Amino acid sequence: MPRQEVLEKIKSAEQEADDIIEEAEAEREDLVAEARHEADEIRSEAEQEANELESERLAEGRKDIEKERERILEEGESARDELVADAEDRIDEAVEYAVGKFEEAVNAQT
């Protein structure tokens, strides 16, 4: 094979190798860009899911707090009603006691 032909084949092979390398680098860059894009999408979806979960948990927490508040208010109202009933039951006793003390004071002056 003549020397010129060998040189042409070598140059052609080198050019082909350069083309393959260039194609591979472009493909690598495309793959990296695609992977970054997919990672951004996954991260965005994860953040959205986390925000939704946070909102759900906050709503559940608020419901629990409201239930506890209502329970405490009901207990307070029940205790108040008991105290009022007890006080009303003792009104007659208190009036009798006060009248008795008043009568004693009046009798002591006469």
Side-chain angles (χ1 to χ4, degrees):
M1 186 181 292
R3 190 175 177 170
Q4 184 63 27
E5 193 175 317
V6 170
L7 285 175
E8 288 297 322
K9 284 188 177 190
I10 290 173
K11 284 183 182 181
S12 176
E14 286 177 347
Q15 182 61 46
E16 191 175 322
D18 287 345
D19 290 345
I20 291 171
I21 290 170
E22 189 176 312
E23 255 182 63
E25 286 178 354
E27 187 176 337
R28 178 187 60 86
E29 288 174 9
D30 289 344
L31 289 172
V32 167
E34 185 178 331
R36 284 186 178 142
H37 178 72
E38 287 178 18
D40 288 342
E41 285 181 1
I42 291 169
R43 187 178 311 115
S44 177
E45 288 174 11
E47 286 177 4
Q48 183 177 357
E49 287 177 18
N51 289 337
E52 289 171 4
L53 183 59
E54 177 185 24
S55 295
E56 288 173 12
R57 287 189 177 166
L58 283 172
E60 288 174 10
R62 286 185 180 114
K63 285 180 186 176
D64 291 345
I65 289 169
E66 185 60 28
K67 285 179 186 176
E68 182 67 11
R69 179 183 166 274
E70 290 298 320
R71 185 190 65 75
I72 290 169
L73 287 174
E74 287 175 9
E75 285 179 4
E77 287 177 14
S78 177
R80 182 200 61 194
D81 292 345
E82 287 178 20
L83 289 172
V84 167
D86 287 345
E88 287 174 351
D89 289 345
R90 294 183 183 174
I91 287 176
D92 291 338
E93 289 177 34
V95 169
E96 286 178 25
Y97 178 78
V99 168
K101 286 292 186 181
F102 179 75
E103 287 176 351
E104 284 178 21
V106 168
N107 289 336
Q109 289 180 358
T110 55

